[in-house]
């Protein structure tokens, strides 16, 4: 699942997984990408404990409790942010996308996959009573662009039920203040 999820991108440096649950994807990512330092987060303290247990033998990993819509990390702290099948569990998933942009360094990569709103995905989440807000077809592209990602790549697969995304945080040019005298 990981190669499909990471879409052939090489992951290096500081990597943040938001909503990593028990750390299953993080463990595989750490085992296959020894050059990364991986921080896995989840809102649920039970999931964080499970991730810590599962990642205990992978020294380049940490698991922390964090809200994807209000991350406690400094601006531009990470080279890569991943989100594997979790945005739809965040009612205000647009804020999670904005937070991913905030904590990414310019040129940093945001990638992952999620469910697309459909009768089938809605019914499945109503049956299991989990809080959710599924992403409508075409909605993620605009949110990524608004959060400062370019280029934006969103691919739909499995009959339009799943989307994969990969986008880089844009570089913002520094503009000098021409009204200030230099000594």
């Amino acid at each position: 699942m990981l190669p499909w999820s990471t879409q052939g991108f090489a992951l290096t440096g500081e990597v943040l997984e938001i909503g990593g649950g028990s750390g299953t994807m993080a463990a595989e990512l750490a085992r296959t990408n020894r050059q990364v330092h991986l921080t896995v987060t989840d809102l649920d303290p039970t999931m964080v404990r499970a991730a810590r247990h599962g990642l205990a033998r992978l020294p380049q990993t940490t698991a922390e409790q964090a809200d994807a819509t209000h991350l406690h990390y400094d601006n531009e702290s990470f080279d890569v942010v991943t989100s594997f099948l979790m945005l739809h569990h965040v009612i205000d998933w647009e804020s999670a996308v904005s937070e991913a942009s905030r904590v990414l360094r310019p040129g940093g990569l945001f990638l992952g996959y999620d469910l697309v709103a459909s009768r089938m995905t809605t019914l499945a989440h109503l049956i299991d009573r989990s809080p959710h807000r599924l992403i409508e077809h075409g909605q993620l592209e605009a949110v990524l662009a608004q959060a400062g990602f370019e280029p934006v790549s969103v691919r739909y697969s499995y009959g339009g039920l799943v989307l994969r995304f990969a986008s880089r945080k844009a570089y913002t040019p520094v503009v000098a203040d021409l009204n200030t005298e230099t000594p």
Side-chain angles (χ1 to χ4, degrees):
M1 187 74 185
L2 188 65
W4 179 83
S5 303
T6 56
Q7 305 172 53
F9 286 97
L11 306 184
T12 60
E14 297 290 323
V15 177
L16 173 67
E17 181 181 356
I18 54 175
S22 64
T24 303
M25 292 289 278
E28 184 61 22
L29 194 141
R31 279 193 279 278
T32 58
N33 295 275
R34 296 279 184 186
Q35 71 282 11
V36 303
H37 178 265
L38 180 60
T39 303
V40 183
T41 64
D42 202 278
L43 183 60
D44 184 341
T46 302
M47 290 289 101
V48 174
R49 282 192 298 276
R52 284 180 181 150
H53 178 75
L55 299 170
R57 293 194 172 140
L58 297 164
Q60 78 273 32
T61 65
T62 57
E64 300 176 357
Q65 186 174 5
D67 181 343
T69 64
H70 299 289
L71 294 169
H72 59 268
Y73 304 104
D74 291 336
N75 295 349
E76 301 180 358
S77 300
F78 295 93
D79 301 297
V80 179
V81 175
T82 63
S83 170
F84 302 126
L85 200 60
M86 65 71 62
L87 284 176
H88 73 277
H89 288 289
V90 179
I91 302 302
D92 184 17
W93 59 262
E94 294 92 342
S95 291
V97 172
S98 292
E99 280 293 279
S101 178
R102 183 186 65 77
V103 301
L104 270 172
R105 294 181 178 107
L109 179 64
F110 181 40
L111 63 87
Y113 70 97
D114 217 301
L115 298 176
V116 177
S118 71
R119 286 184 184 144
M120 186 171 78
T121 56
T122 300
L123 181 60
H125 281 77
L126 289 175
I127 290 170
D128 76 6
R129 297 185 181 143
S130 64
H132 68 282
R133 187 170 141 246
L134 293 161
I135 301 167
E136 298 287 335
H137 191 282
Q139 198 174 26
L140 183 61
E141 294 87 336
V143 172
L144 287 167
Q146 185 176 18
F149 290 102
E150 57 182 49
V152 171
S153 170
V154 178
R155 296 184 197 135
Y156 295 85
S157 56
Y158 297 104
L161 298 176
V162 176
L163 60 80
R164 286 187 303 164
F165 60 92
S167 297
R168 292 211 178 266
K169 181 177 178 179
Y171 289 93
T172 53
V174 176
V175 179
D177 184 353
L178 300 178
N179 295 322
T180 305
E181 288 184 34
T182 55

